Amino acid sequence: MNYDYAIHSDFLIHWTGKDIDGEYDQNWHESDKSSTRKNDNVTDQYINRLCDILTHGLWMTSESESTLEFDGAPITVPETPKTCFTELKVSESRKHARQYGRLGIGVKRPFVFTRFGRPLIYYGFHEKINNDVFLRTCANELGNKNLLNFFKPMNSSLTLNYDFYSESEWRIIFLHELLNSKLIIDPRNPKNESAHSYFQTLPPEQQKKLRYLIPLDGWFAMIIYPSLDVKNKAQQDNSSSIVQQIERIKDLNDHGNRVENKNWPIEVDLDACRNF
């Protein structure tokens, strides 16, 4: 079977680290190259973040519930734990890193499909200005209102710049089937010993934010590092256990995955991404 990847990227990228940049390097984007900015705090924090993700999984977090209004009738979009990805050419990484953080974890699409994820359905134009018949019908008729979290406006403001639409976002949202099949893990449950121990090490504000964890599997396919400093430390410092965690993930019996299972993920730094 032939696949044409000329239009869409073969990778779905989850971005993280905005909190790290906000605390230690707010102005990183003012430099043309991330590698020219030496900051041990940033490097150590990103190494820890990467190690946590490889060991325990991607975070599922919640935003506050929102309200859609049609003909004066409000419909609530529930607060639902989710994990977000962008489907863009790797060369577009820098602008998304500025928005969401500089560490990118890339997976192939089956990782998301297996967890009932999908690309978002964008509607025009803004959450306060919408006359989308499909959205209105779904909002009125869907029995599971959590599924409305797969809808998103094209614009973050009343300006028609299509900034949300340009992100080509995918999502995995919380479903009980995922929890029952252990495709997501509840870190608050003491029976999940490793995840629960990790959860207990987090400060209260992060415990409040973290709802569920999505462990990585063989469809894990790429790491975009914030800088060469972080990349070099991750690859060379055995004490970080990053290499060992990648080996563990890629050694899993991955239910017939013969595409990415056993293959080492592509590793690239943010500066190099502009060449792809």
Side-chain angles (χ1 to χ4, degrees):
M1 184 180 295
N2 293 322
Y3 294 90
D4 182 4
Y5 293 132
I7 303 299
H8 297 283
S9 171
D10 197 19
F11 301 95
L12 304 178
I13 309 295
H14 172 76
W15 293 98
T16 182
K18 185 175 182 178
D19 56 326
I20 296 173
D21 292 337
E23 183 171 357
Y24 297 106
D25 197 8
Q26 295 183 17
N27 301 319
W28 69 268
H29 52 86
E30 294 179 359
S31 173
D32 200 35
K33 291 188 176 181
S34 299
S35 58
T36 62
R37 301 176 71 85
K38 306 293 184 181
N39 189 319
D40 290 339
N41 285 327
V42 170
T43 297
D44 291 343
Q45 291 293 322
Y46 269 117
I47 287 290
N48 292 338
R49 178 67 51 86
L50 176 59
C51 190
D52 286 346
I53 290 172
L54 296 177
T55 304
H56 303 290
L58 301 171
W59 284 29
M60 298 188 80
T61 61
S62 298
E63 300 172 353
S64 300
E65 66 179 31
S66 59
T67 301
L68 299 171
E69 189 166 314
F70 304 98
D71 302 323
I75 296 177
T76 298
V77 181
E79 176 186 345
T80 302
K82 62 178 74 73
T83 300
C84 303
F85 304 82
T86 59
E87 182 189 22
L88 292 171
K89 296 295 185 183
V90 177
S91 57
E92 299 290 314
S93 294
R94 190 175 175 89
K95 67 179 181 180
H96 291 279
R98 181 175 178 180
Q99 183 72 18
Y100 301 109
R102 284 181 283 168
L103 176 61
I105 304 297
V107 298
K108 294 295 184 70
R109 292 186 187 93
F111 179 86
V112 177
F113 286 138
T114 302
R115 292 155 180 82
F116 308 125
R118 52 157 298 132
L120 296 193
I121 304 167
Y122 289 94
Y123 62 88
F125 295 103
H126 181 255
E127 60 183 8
K128 299 301 182 184
I129 303 178
N130 64 76
N131 57 357
D132 191 300
V133 173
F134 182 66
L135 172 60
R136 183 173 67 245
T137 302
C138 289
N140 285 316
E141 298 185 8
L142 274 176
N144 182 357
K145 300 300 184 187
N146 288 330
L147 296 178
L148 293 174
N149 281 278
F150 285 124
F151 285 85
K152 191 172 185 177
M154 293 187 178
N155 304 278
S156 61
S157 68
L158 298 180
T159 302
L160 299 184
N161 56 8
Y162 304 103
D163 55 335
F164 281 163
Y165 182 57
S166 69
E167 293 179 347
S168 298
E169 184 178 340
W170 291 54
R171 284 179 181 171
I172 298 170
I173 70 170
F174 173 81
L175 295 167
H176 287 286
E177 295 93 326
L178 298 177
L179 192 61
N180 295 337
S181 60
K182 297 189 182 301
L183 287 171
I184 65 174
I185 303 296
D186 182 359
R188 291 173 171 78
N189 187 344
K191 293 182 179 179
N192 301 318
E193 295 181 3
S194 176
H196 186 63
S197 296
Y198 165 63
F199 179 78
Q200 290 181 310
T201 66
L202 299 175
E205 63 273 13
Q206 291 188 13
Q207 288 186 351
K208 184 177 180 180
K209 183 178 180 182
L210 172 59
R211 301 292 299 277
Y212 297 96
L213 292 161
I214 308 179
L216 294 172
D217 62 17
W219 290 108
F220 164 51
M222 175 179 280
I223 303 173
I224 299 177
Y225 291 99
S227 67
L228 283 173
D229 281 349
V230 180
K231 180 182 177 184
N232 290 337
K233 186 167 185 178
Q235 293 176 336
Q236 298 170 11
D237 185 0
N238 289 331
S239 65
S240 71
S241 77
I242 286 173
V243 172
Q244 292 92 328
Q245 289 300 327
I246 294 175
E247 289 175 344
R248 177 190 61 80
I249 293 167
K250 287 299 186 176
D251 198 37
L252 296 173
N253 180 11
D254 214 8
H255 308 291
N257 173 9
R258 296 189 178 94
V259 179
E260 284 297 328
N261 198 31
K262 305 290 187 181
N263 290 341
W264 201 263
I266 295 171
E267 297 179 89
V268 63
D269 66 276
L270 189 62
D271 290 341
C273 286
R274 60 177 54 133
N275 299 312
F276 291 89

